[in-house]
Amino acid sequence: MSATNASGESAKSGAVSATVTNTPPPGGLPKRVLVGYLHASFANGSGYIRMADVPNEWNVINLSFGEPTSVTSGDIRFTQCPVAECPNVESEAEFIAGIRAKQALGKKVLISIGGQNGQVQLSTTAARDKFVQSVSAIIDKYGLDGLDIDFEGHSLYLDSGDTNLSAPTTPVIVNLISALKTLKARYGARFVLTMAPETFFVQLGYQFYGPGPNGSADRRAASYLPVIHAMRDDLTLLHVQDYNSGPITGLDNQYHTMGTHDFHVAMTDMLLAGFPIAGNPANVFPALRQEQVAIGLPAAAYAGNGFTTVAEVQKAFDCLAKGTNCGPYRPRGVYPNLRGLMTWSINWDKYNAFEFSRSHRAYLDALG
């Protein structure tokens, strides 16, 4: 090797060898991932699955759910499914050993906070601090790899006048961001942070953001956006729930309805292309990195509204990642590094004869 400037070229150095490698994806995960929620604290009619028996197709296993002692306490608790509901539940020692075995295979096991019944409002700094303390206690007890935020219902909202994406003022938003930053700083670079908002809390922001200028809109509209934006440098995966959703307007200014190929393409395109919030070009939600985004789906028709067949899901992924098999909606770009798929849930997938995990694992692996 040598250096060159206006005076000429320097003497050449001694020979050296170097190997060029690709930068590994963030979070210690493979290029294509399958994310599944595991009913660890309840059965929900689909049957309990022991941690040791979770199939190998899954890369990220979200323990569902950590829930608060009260809506505003910030005190998150996780307990294994009771024997009365889950007769085959393993002991705590077996559960932890199962987690270690999955981690030894390169899987990531997270605690998912919230869910349908776990409303969490960090409306005070005391609740924020309790959230950090109690979530850390769960992560440390079970030796987990990180945290999934699955806040639903009325957990997040925007106060009137809170319109600046980059500088939110609503306490439940500000305190959640602060708590997540503290947890990330505590556990370091390998801490896996994922989020599973509904479309109402994300893509609806193309039309509505909080209560709106006249205060008449639902103040929860798009209220995840400032949290996602604040955490984008630390966010491993965002897998919006493309189910249990009303029609949502895409970047083509047309309504898209769940359960269709085009719905997944349109909703994912919004995350990867970015969009003006409530139509305001001065307040834009910037595009996320491709490797941060996965598509959220029900594992079976009885797992949630908006089930999409295997063939239609893979056509949607083809359209986004390869630019082929597109329907009427044409995405703003081609996204070859789109990360993968999330589903509710591992349990419902087993109940449905593993159709989701086996079909989509093979498809994702073939993509490379």
Side-chain angles (χ1 to χ4, degrees), residues 26 56 94 97 124 205 219-220 242 245 266 278 289 291 298 312 322 354:
N56 196 48
E94 290 170 326
T124 65
R219 64 180 183 157
R220 299 173 298 158
D242 283 4
S245 171
R289 302 190 309 274
E291 70 272 13
E312 287 296 292
K322 298 190 291 185
F354 303 106

Side-chain angles (χ1 to χ4, degrees), residues 2 20 23 30 32 38 41 127 139 171 191 257 310 346 355 359:
S2 65
V20 178
T23 302
R32 310 289 185 190
L38 182 70
S41 60
I139 291 171
F191 184 72
T257 304
V310 167
I346 293 172
E355 178 187 61
S359 300

Side-chain angles (χ1 to χ4, degrees), residues 35-37 58 243 295-300 341-346 349 356:
V35 180
Y37 287 79
W58 304 99
Y243 50 96
I295 303 172
L297 305 150
L341 302 169
M342 171 276 276
T343 198
W344 177 262
S345 64
I346 293 172
D349 181 49
F356 187 99

Side-chain angles (χ1 to χ4, degrees), residues 324-345:
T324 62
N325 273 332
C326 294
Y329 183 94
R330 303 293 302 192
R332 298 302 181 267
V334 178
Y335 310 111
N337 294 318
L338 179 62
R339 200 65 184 276
L341 302 169
M342 171 276 276
T343 198
W344 177 262
S345 64

Side-chain angles (χ1 to χ4, degrees), residues 107-138:
K107 316 300 183 184
K108 304 298 180 182
V109 185
L110 316 182
I111 181 64
S112 181
I113 307 298
Q116 182 177 347
N117 300 321
Q119 187 167 287
V120 181
Q121 293 180 351
L122 304 184
S123 53
T124 65
T125 54
R128 174 200 66 191
D129 295 345
K130 189 63 180 177
F131 181 88
V132 170
Q133 181 272 320
S134 58
V135 170
S136 297
I138 295 169

Side-chain angles (χ1 to χ4, degrees), residues 58-124:
W58 304 99
N59 304 107
V60 180
I61 303 163
N62 291 331
L63 304 180
S64 310
F65 287 106
E67 298 184 3
T69 55
S70 71
V71 172
T72 58
S73 70
D75 188 3
I76 306 300
R77 305 293 177 88
F78 170 76
T79 56
Q80 286 179 255
C81 188
V83 174
E85 186 177 355
C86 303
N88 61 324
V89 65
E90 68 268 59
S91 69
E92 183 177 274
E94 290 170 326
F95 184 67
I96 293 173
I99 292 171
R100 295 293 172 277
K102 296 301 176 190
Q103 291 169 326
L105 295 173
K107 316 300 183 184
K108 304 298 180 182
V109 185
L110 316 182
I111 181 64
S112 181
I113 307 298
Q116 182 177 347
N117 300 321
Q119 187 167 287
V120 181
Q121 293 180 351
L122 304 184
S123 53
T124 65

Side-chain angles (χ1 to χ4, degrees), residues 107-349:
K107 316 300 183 184
K108 304 298 180 182
V109 185
L110 316 182
I111 181 64
S112 181
I113 307 298
Q116 182 177 347
N117 300 321
Q119 187 167 287
V120 181
Q121 293 180 351
L122 304 184
S123 53
T124 65
T125 54
R128 174 200 66 191
D129 295 345
K130 189 63 180 177
F131 181 88
V132 170
Q133 181 272 320
S134 58
V135 170
S136 297
I138 295 169
I139 291 171
D140 294 345
K141 177 178 180 178
Y142 296 99
L144 303 178
D145 297 290
L147 170 66
D148 173 69
I149 298 296
D150 186 17
F151 285 12
E152 300 180 13
H154 292 266
S155 294
L156 296 181
Y157 53 84
L158 290 159
D159 289 338
S160 181
D162 189 353
T163 58
N164 187 336
L165 177 72
S166 299
T169 56
T170 307
V172 295
I173 303 290
V174 173
N175 288 331
L176 176 59
I177 292 169
S178 175
L180 295 178
K181 287 185 176 293
T182 299
L183 287 165
K184 177 68 178 182
R186 176 171 297 181
Y187 291 103
R190 298 198 67 79
F191 184 72
V192 178
L193 176 63
T194 67
M195 298 182 191
E198 296 161 291
T199 58
F200 182 91
F201 296 100
V202 182
Q203 288 94 337
L204 186 65
Y206 185 51
Q207 288 184 284
F208 304 102
Y209 192 59
N214 60 8
S216 62
D218 191 322
R219 64 180 183 157
R220 299 173 298 158
S223 55
Y224 250 93
L225 288 181
V227 181
I228 297 167
H229 185 60
M231 300 306 299
R232 63 174 54 237
D233 291 341
D234 297 314
L235 183 64
T236 310
L237 289 171
L238 175 70
H239 29 65
V240 174
Q241 300 176 31
D242 283 4
Y243 50 96
N244 297 333
S245 171
I248 301 289
T249 300
L251 296 178
D252 58 353
N253 295 316
Q254 302 296 314
Y255 280 109
H256 297 271
T257 304
M258 65 178 180
T260 66
H261 160 280
D262 261 20
F263 187 75
H264 303 300
V265 175
M267 295 303 100
T268 307
D269 190 37
M270 295 178 83
L271 304 175
L272 295 174
F275 57 89
I277 296 172
N280 180 2
N283 195 27
V284 172
F285 177 76
L288 291 166
R289 302 190 309 274
Q290 294 177 34
E291 70 272 13
Q292 290 180 295
V293 176
I295 303 172
L297 305 150
Y302 23 77
N305 294 317
F307 174 71
T308 311
T309 65
V310 167
E312 287 296 292
V313 170
Q314 293 178 3
K315 279 173 58 181
F317 211 101
D318 281 348
C319 178
L320 289 159
K322 298 190 291 185
T324 62
N325 273 332
C326 294
Y329 183 94
R330 303 293 302 192
R332 298 302 181 267
V334 178
Y335 310 111
N337 294 318
L338 179 62
R339 200 65 184 276
L341 302 169
M342 171 276 276
T343 198
W344 177 262
S345 64
I346 293 172
N347 304 63
W348 283 119
D349 181 49

